[in-house]
Amino acid sequence: MKIGFVKPDLPRAGAAVVGVWEDCVLTPAARRLDEAADGAIARALAATPRFNGKKGELLEIVAPARPPVSRIILAGLGKPEKADTRTFEELGGALAAQLNRSGEREATVAVDAAPGMPAAAPEAAAALALGAELRSYRFDRYKTKEPPDKKPSLEALAIGTDEPEAAARAYQPRQKAAEAVCFTRDLVSEPGNVIYPETLAAQAQTLEKFGVTVEILDEPAMRQLGMGALLGVAQGSAKPPRLVVMQWRGAGDGPGQPGPLAFVGKGVTFDTGGISIKPAAGMGEMKWDMAGSAVVIGLMRLLAARRARVNAVGVVGLVENMPSGTAQRPGDIVKSMSGQTIEVLNTDAEGRLVLADAMWYCQDRFKPRLMIDLATLTGAVIVALGHYRAGLFANDDELAARLVAAGQAVGEELWRLPLAEAYDRDIDSDAADVKNIASGRAAGSVVAAQFLQRFVKGVPWAHLDIAGTAWSSKDAPTVPKGATAFGLRLLDRLIAEHYEEA
Ligand code: BES
Ligand code: MN
Ligand code: ZN
């Protein structure tokens, strides 16, 4: 889909979209179009008492006599004082979905500012474009027989606004964000026979073209470093593990630079559970058990693509968790890079083992100013929060508050869950320093986070458990069903808001 920003003008073809504020207050563009359409909009509103202009409402007038457009779409915008950038992202997404289904090939959307509106007009126009891009994502690479009338139809979206140059400028970083999100969604959507540690590492390596430094550690290198926790998970698979280290140094290396921001991702390219094998039903979902790593890879790509003035490092631990004659057994004791020994009582609690070594390596080598990990870590977080919010754990209240706010701004919401000594006692092992599961099923996500915290050494740290939000079974305004890339825009926003140099 081609997106462009143009001066407001009366559309002569395709779909014409104009906004309507709550209580059916027409925007200036809607008034002009109504005049050109001989009052068709006013008549449609009078005939549709349940259309009120509330946020999310759409009303279509097909084939008006005048002007020569194929359809007019009235888009409810809600109250001006509530129309923030997220409102326009969601509108862009909803419009893209409707237009792509309709067979329409071109559309023009008018975006006007209104008194009291929190989003400036160029930002609103750019946000609408971003929403349309995000919602238009599809993973259809393997569909060889899809009939043309099932494919998305929209080819060109023109956004009419008083300051098209300013809108185009505001769109630049957003377009890069949309590209990074789509890249991450592709990685997450690919099946386990296509994306496994070596091929996912190769995908990460493509970030070099954006200016990211990429290093790939193989199994001997990890053995040398003492990463017995990660390697124990990997040993059942015929696919060798990888650890990928990505660096973006957008703030330079001057003296007095604080340590980098660090992002660590769980990259289990397929999780069978290992010897503690999972049930067959639904196991195919475990192809996306590498979503945390895909978000970290996409984030590093985005920071480089938009030349973010920040130093950041991404570390992803890539393994496949398989049962086999070489697989790790329940009860095995492994030694992590930190020196702590771990009793592996359940081989399906593997993400925390991978992260233990990836996080330790990251802190040991980079001395980051803060560290955030992302992982599809526990089924329990789905029980607790469902699919609309990810679990947040943090040892630092300021970092937690910043993450929650960033999530709200981009529609990737978090809910903080506790960390506390009492839960930590539940993973004391009789045979080793720590065990990878507690004895019962209670508070599974908290227990997993406590395990991770044993591998945090004195840095502000946050853990996002994205097991419930990495994949969606239904469409949302800016996220079609499937891989979401949840966390990518959130972390980009966090960085832009708090950690970039002027
Ligand atoms: N990858 C899973 C968690 C998961 C479950 C993600 C469902 C997405 C959807 C993780 O490796 C796992 O298996 N966790 C176990 C931990 C348990 C053995 C303590 C779980 O949640 O059941
Ligand atoms: Mn597992
Ligand atoms: Zn897993």
Side-chain angles (χ1 to χ4, degrees):
M1 180 177 46
K2 257 192 64 210
I3 294 189
F5 299 91
V6 298
K7 281 272 188 198
D9 197 8
L10 209 58
R12 312 249 112 234
V17 186
V18 290
V20 179
W21 298 108
E22 197 161 308
D23 299 323
C24 288
V25 177
L26 299 190
T27 55
R31 279 202 305 271
R32 287 195 300 273
L33 186 61
D34 189 37
E35 228 166 90
D38 301 324
I41 291 179
R43 284 195 302 280
L45 289 177
T48 317
R50 293 195 179 179
F51 180 92
N52 184 259
K54 286 206 170 70
K55 188 166 128 177
E57 289 180 350
L58 295 177
L59 178 62
E60 230 180 65
I61 306 168
V62 180
R66 283 191 337 126
V69 296
S70 54
R71 73 195 69 224
I72 291 170
I73 299 178
L74 307 179
L77 300 172
K79 294 189 168 63
E81 62 275 17
K82 292 228 169 117
D84 54 10
T85 50
R86 185 66 196 147
T87 301
F88 287 93
E89 286 174 15
E90 291 188 355
L91 171 59
L95 286 171
Q98 176 142 333
L99 290 163
N100 273 320
R101 271 194 307 266
S102 69
E104 195 71 79
R105 284 161 52 189
E106 53 177 307
T108 308
V109 188
V111 176
D112 312 292
M117 189 168 109
E123 295 282 321
L128 189 142
L130 170 62
E133 286 279 25
L134 292 174
R135 181 62 184 276
S136 298
Y137 172 80
R138 299 179 98 213
F139 184 73
D140 54 10
R141 175 171 304 172
Y142 300 107
K143 284 188 165 287
T144 66
K145 293 179 176 167
E146 193 174 42
D149 68 346
K150 290 279 183 291
K151 295 199 187 295
S153 61
L154 196 63
E155 288 164 11
L157 180 65
I159 300 172
T161 171
D162 284 330
E163 301 168 75
E165 296 83 15
R169 241 176 292 123
Y171 183 51
Q172 274 175 20
R174 288 178 168 91
Q175 181 174 21
K176 298 194 163 72
E179 286 164 3
V181 164
C182 293
F183 176 62
T184 291
R185 287 176 181 170
D186 277 344
L187 296 178
V188 174
S189 304
E190 288 285 2
N193 61 329
V194 174
I195 283 290
Y196 44 90
E198 290 158 287
T199 54
L200 186 48
Q203 287 295 323
Q205 191 134 41
T206 67
L207 267 52
E208 284 175 342
K209 68 173 180 266
F210 296 95
V212 177
T213 309
V214 182
E215 294 162 69
I216 301 177
L217 278 61
D218 63 5
E219 196 198 312
M222 286 188 268
R223 182 140 337 262
Q224 197 90 59
L225 287 160
M227 296 190 174
L230 184 152
L231 291 173
V233 178
Q235 76 188 34
S237 172
K239 308 279 191 207
R242 293 289 183 266
L243 188 93
V244 183
V245 182
M246 295 156 281
Q247 295 182 68
W248 168 248
R249 302 202 59 85
D253 302 283
Q257 269 300 328
L261 306 179
F263 303 95
V264 181
K266 169 179 173 181
V268 176
T269 60
F270 196 82
D271 180 13
T272 63
I275 296 297
S276 312
I277 198 163
K278 289 181 180 295
M283 202 201 280
E285 295 206 333
M286 286 299 111
K287 71 171 185 179
W288 47 262
D289 208 20
M290 35 58 74
S293 69
V295 168
V296 170
I297 295 167
L299 176 68
M300 295 304 294
R301 170 182 158 138
L302 174 54
L303 294 178
R306 68 171 184 79
R307 321 298 298 170
R309 291 178 192 282
V310 70
N311 292 339
V313 46
V315 176
V316 294
L318 312 180
V319 301
E320 183 179 57
N321 188 21
M322 287 295 228
S324 76
T326 64
Q328 154 162 274
R329 292 150 289 257
D332 280 5
I333 296 176
V334 296
K335 187 163 190 170
S336 67
M337 184 184 171
S338 75
Q340 297 173 84
T341 55
I342 305 168
E343 188 182 14
V344 180
L345 289 174
N346 188 316
T347 65
D348 197 12
E350 85 296 341
R352 62 199 76 180
L353 299 171
V354 173
L355 287 172
D357 280 337
M359 285 168 42
W360 194 267
Y361 174 85
C362 177
Q363 297 167 92
D364 196 52
R365 174 166 171 197
F366 294 105
K367 314 283 182 273
R369 65 189 284 201
L370 60 80
M371 176 169 68
I372 299 172
D373 77 82
L374 297 105
T376 48
L377 203 62
T378 64
V381 84
I382 309 176
V383 177
L385 301 176
H387 301 287
Y388 307 125
R389 288 189 182 214
L392 162 66
F393 299 84
N395 65 4
D396 184 284
D397 292 342
E398 182 182 57
L399 178 58
R402 288 175 169 184
L403 281 161
V404 168
Q408 253 157 12
V410 302
E412 294 178 345
E413 300 218 37
L414 303 176
W415 191 257
R416 192 174 179 185
L417 295 166
L419 288 164
E421 175 73 24
Y423 299 100
D424 190 67
R425 292 281 66 79
D426 289 351
I427 49 172
D428 285 336
S429 161
D430 293 335
D433 297 331
V434 62
K435 55 186 181 184
N436 78 328
I437 55 165
S439 56
R441 286 180 28 249
S445 307
V446 184
V447 168
Q450 292 295 160
F451 182 93
L452 296 182
Q453 193 172 23
R454 293 217 185 184
F455 299 86
V456 173
K457 45 174 178 180
V459 301
W461 159 73
H463 156 58
L464 308 187
D465 191 336
I466 57 172
T469 52
W471 190 269
S472 170
S473 59
K474 60 180 192 220
D475 291 335
T478 56
V479 187
K481 70 179 181 199
T484 62
F486 184 103
L488 201 167
R489 294 190 55 223
L490 185 166
L491 293 176
D492 181 53
R493 170 82 184 201
L494 174 85
I495 293 166
E497 196 83 344
H498 298 288
Y499 302 102
E500 275 186 68
E501 293 176 2

